[in-house]
Amino acid sequence: MTVRHITDSEVETYRQQGVVQLRNFVDWAQVEALTAALDTQIAEPGPWLLTGSHHSDRCFGLDVPTLCSYLLDPKLGANAAKAMDSTTARFFFDHMFLFEPASPIPAHYWHQDLPYWPVEGNQIVSIWLSLTNCTTESAALKFVPRSHTTDKFYRPQGFDGEAIEGDLGARAVLAVDVRESFLGEGPPAFHEDPERHGVVEYCFEAGDAVMFHARTLHSSGGNHSPDSRRLAYSVRFVGDDARMTLRKGVFQDPALLPDIDELFEVGAPMISRRWPLVHGA
């Protein structure tokens, strides 16, 4: 399987814009292998399956040899570290997205990833790989460039636009209350005035990817195609400055927490058996 190295120009675009498209990121053999492995996962989903307007599953790839080989590919980790300007890149989690034909999202679901995750820092990146051709009609991705440079965050919400919270169990006592200082209103409908907000939209051929910062605003309008599905696989990495956190009063994805027997301390480095080091020492 082949993952290509990113270029200096792509790194510069990522750092300035918070997002960069990576054409021909993997070869066709890898597209086919990953698609077959994900189709098996779709047929036999894990405990973190989400269904509704689309099919989403996460935190399963390390247990699937074909997927694990991709997720822990040293070149993938080196790409993440280079983009983040970090000496290390640690696997955080994997995430699959499937939009079947005719599965639109009326609200577009604008969001930043970071508020949903129990982590803080600047060196946090996603590499989102398209395994099907993806057009404006079939759930292309939209981004607000340079939105990663702001300190403003919008509240985590579901696909219906309603605020959501999660159950952190015994670890809830560790959470920091950020409801007033960190999060407030939901995100604007940037797609309704894309020129004003500088919205960019990326379409893909199978094997293309996009790399984006965890603070970068992005969305999809869902799949309006009557006959094409959209399958994508995203891997998230954290770098040197990433630290554990929990935010009280807003959704923190419980799938992303370390195992219950592992130490979890707000402000501690991102070290867990679930987050293997892929690049660096």
Side-chain angles (χ1 to χ4, degrees):
M1 294 185 181
T2 300
V3 174
R4 73 166 175 86
H5 289 293
I6 58 175
T7 67
D8 291 343
S9 176
E10 288 168 336
V11 169
E12 184 65 20
T13 298
Y14 167 79
R15 293 181 184 174
Q16 290 185 1
Q17 304 293 315
V19 57
V20 62
Q21 189 167 31
L22 306 173
R23 292 288 190 187
N24 301 308
F25 187 63
V26 305
D27 62 16
W28 184 248
Q30 179 134 283
V31 169
E32 290 186 314
L34 294 176
T35 299
L38 292 177
D39 280 340
T40 298
Q41 181 69 21
I42 291 165
E44 303 173 7
W48 302 111
L49 172 70
L50 295 175
T51 58
S53 57
H54 75 291
H55 181 116
S56 169
D57 207 350
R58 57 208 191 280
C59 303
F60 59 86
L62 294 183
D63 296 324
V64 180
T66 298
L67 301 178
C68 186
S69 294
Y70 169 71
L71 299 172
L72 303 186
D73 187 319
K75 283 189 289 185
L76 195 65
N79 283 335
K82 183 176 181 179
M84 294 186 295
D85 193 21
S86 174
T87 64
T88 62
R90 189 175 291 275
F91 170 85
F92 186 26
F93 74 103
D94 59 315
H95 205 160
M96 176 188 68
F97 303 93
L98 171 62
F99 280 93
E100 296 288 6
S103 53
I105 302 176
H108 264 73
Y109 188 54
W110 284 100
H111 65 288
Q112 302 148 298
D113 287 335
L114 187 60
Y116 295 77
W117 301 347
V119 59
E120 60 184 359
N122 188 56
Q123 294 169 324
I124 309 168
V125 68
S126 293
I127 301 175
W128 186 100
L129 175 66
S130 186
L131 297 170
T132 55
N133 293 344
C134 178
T135 66
T136 296
E137 183 183 42
S138 58
L141 291 186
K142 300 178 176 67
F143 293 87
V144 180
R146 293 181 289 278
S147 54
H148 69 305
T149 63
T150 180
D151 291 332
K152 183 176 180 61
F153 287 92
Y154 297 98
R155 71 165 185 262
Q157 59 189 31
F159 286 96
D160 58 3
E162 296 297 319
I164 54 176
E165 296 189 24
D167 181 6
L168 298 174
R171 285 171 168 157
V173 297
L174 303 175
V176 178
D177 193 338
V178 297
R179 284 172 291 185
E180 292 186 5
S181 60
F182 187 74
L183 298 161
E185 74 275 15
F190 295 101
H191 59 283
E192 293 181 355
D193 195 351
E195 185 173 352
R196 175 191 168 200
H197 297 291
V199 173
V200 296
E201 182 176 57
Y202 295 112
C203 297
F204 304 85
E205 293 185 1
D208 292 344
V210 63
M211 175 183 286
F212 58 98
H213 195 285
R215 295 173 180 259
T216 303
L217 281 153
H218 58 286
S219 81
S220 168
N223 191 356
H224 295 262
S225 170
D227 52 17
S228 297
R229 76 170 184 164
R230 191 265 261 166
L231 179 65
Y233 194 43
S234 190
V235 54
R236 309 5 170 115
F237 288 97
V238 295
D240 300 338
D241 77 349
R243 294 292 183 269
M244 299 181 192
T245 193
L246 285 176
R247 302 180 182 96
K248 181 180 180 180
V250 295
F251 179 73
Q252 299 285 266
D253 191 340
L256 310 185
L257 295 173
D259 293 329
I260 196 65
D261 67 321
E262 294 185 291
L263 174 68
F264 186 96
E265 182 179 356
V266 170
M270 299 288 290
I271 297 175
S272 165
R273 68 174 69 98
R274 298 182 59 190
W275 306 327
L277 191 67
V278 184
H279 176 82

